[in-house]
Amino acid sequence: MVSINTTYNGVAVAALRRVNSDLQTTQNRIATGYRVNSAKDDPSVWAAASTLRSDAAGSETLKSRMTTAKAQADAGIAAIDGVSEVLQKVSDIVVAAKAAGSASTQQIADVAKLGAQITALVASSALNGKNVLVTGNDLSASGVVAAGATVGALGYTSATFVSGTNVAAVLAANDSAKVLALDISAAQTEISTVSTALGAFSSGADTLLSFSEKLTDIRNSAISGMVDADLEKESAKLQALQVRQQLAYQAISMSNNSTQNILRLFQ
């Protein structure tokens, strides 16, 4: 009784399947640039990388909001600087009026014009629909997202800029007595308080934005180390697998030819 042993053929076919599977994986890594393309490649690494990607995306959103909030604070600071210059001009008028014992009609008119400039400066500090020098326009911003939670926060509580007695008095100085009663030094102190609060917010935002940028770079580097493929290594592996694939095909061909030669004996 004659039997044909196909074990060798089966081993060659199994080897070819493994080589083809490895070849497909390597080709996919080279094509995408990723060693871990999905959870099935490496569940724990994929989960960790996904968390970092989510945190990075959340941080980018917060960074955009913080950039806007910082710009709004800076707009308020710029307006305050302008108001401070205007108040200095008012101070010069008040000093001259006090030296004369009364404010002239022209001086009263000049104070009114300068008061209008203060009003205009305050109104022009609005940015993206928010004026931090008017009540109800508070600022808030967060730093980054870490493990899904928001970390780092800044805040500024707005107040009507001209509500301070001495600043408001400049806008209401429409006669000699009111001009002489103006306390510009106190008005400057009032606006300095607001400027300091906005400055602290802006400075804090700068710090958090800088940190966010650095953290983004760190996260990107970490994600790259987790999921990126070593293209040089994968290219070398690809060549080796292609050689093994050819050898497997040859082995199967030789096995098939051997079987055919035995069958010819029975013809």
Side-chain angles (χ1 to χ4, degrees), residues 124-201:
S124 66
S125 68
L127 183 66
N128 198 29
K130 180 170 289 190
N131 190 332
V132 296
L133 301 183
V134 177
T135 302
N137 290 285
D138 300 348
L139 293 178
S140 62
S142 298
V144 297
V145 174
T150 301
V151 180
L154 295 172
Y156 162 78
T157 302
S158 61
T160 301
F161 186 66
V162 296
S163 64
T165 303
N166 294 286
V167 177
V170 174
L171 306 183
N174 54 8
D175 59 37
S176 178
K178 291 179 181 178
V179 170
L180 294 175
L182 291 177
D183 188 344
I184 303 304
S185 177
Q188 291 280 24
T189 298
E190 289 167 358
I191 68 171
S192 177
T193 299
V194 179
S195 181
T196 298
L198 286 172
F201 182 93

Side-chain angles (χ1 to χ4, degrees), residues 8-251:
Y8 179 75
N9 188 289
V11 170
V13 171
L16 180 60
R17 288 197 186 100
R18 289 194 297 272
V19 169
N20 285 340
S21 177
D22 291 343
L23 191 59
Q24 182 178 6
T25 298
T26 300
Q27 289 173 330
N28 188 47
R29 287 177 178 178
I30 292 174
T32 63
Y34 292 123
R35 179 181 63 83
V36 180
N37 282 290
S38 64
K40 69 179 182 180
D41 294 329
D42 192 323
S44 60
V45 169
W46 178 259
S50 295
T51 297
L52 287 176
R53 288 192 182 103
S54 178
D55 287 349
S59 294
E60 283 299 307
T61 299
L62 291 180
K63 185 170 70 174
S64 177
R65 294 175 182 172
M66 183 174 293
T67 299
T68 299
K70 180 184 181 308
Q72 290 167 335
D74 290 343
I77 293 171
I80 290 175
D81 289 343
V83 170
S84 182
E85 293 178 6
V86 171
L87 286 177
Q88 184 56 53
K89 295 177 181 179
V90 174
S91 178
D92 294 340
I93 294 173
V94 172
V95 170
K98 287 182 176 179
S102 65
S104 67
T105 300
Q106 183 60 52
Q107 289 173 326
I108 295 172
D110 288 344
V111 169
K113 291 178 182 178
L114 293 171
Q117 289 181 23
I118 291 175
T119 300
L121 285 167
V122 172
S124 66
S125 68
L127 183 66
N128 198 29
K130 180 170 289 190
N131 190 332
V132 296
L133 301 183
V134 177
T135 302
N137 290 285
D138 300 348
L139 293 178
S140 62
S142 298
V144 297
V145 174
T150 301
V151 180
L154 295 172
Y156 162 78
T157 302
S158 61
T160 301
F161 186 66
V162 296
S163 64
T165 303
N166 294 286
V167 177
V170 174
L171 306 183
N174 54 8
D175 59 37
S176 178
K178 291 179 181 178
V179 170
L180 294 175
L182 291 177
D183 188 344
I184 303 304
S185 177
Q188 291 280 24
T189 298
E190 289 167 358
I191 68 171
S192 177
T193 299
V194 179
S195 181
T196 298
L198 286 172
F201 182 93
S202 179
S203 177
D206 270 333
T207 299
L208 288 176
L209 285 170
S210 177
F211 172 69
S212 180
E213 289 287 349
K214 292 178 181 178
L215 190 58
T216 295
D217 291 340
I218 293 171
R219 280 173 172 157
N220 288 338
S221 178
I223 292 172
S224 177
M226 289 179 180
V227 304
D228 285 0
D230 184 336
L231 295 182
E232 291 184 1
K233 179 179 178 181
E234 296 300 334
S235 295
K237 185 177 181 180
L238 177 64
Q239 294 179 3
L241 288 170
Q242 288 173 335
V243 171
R244 289 173 58 189
Q245 185 185 53
Q246 292 300 318
L247 291 174
Y249 279 129
Q250 290 178 13

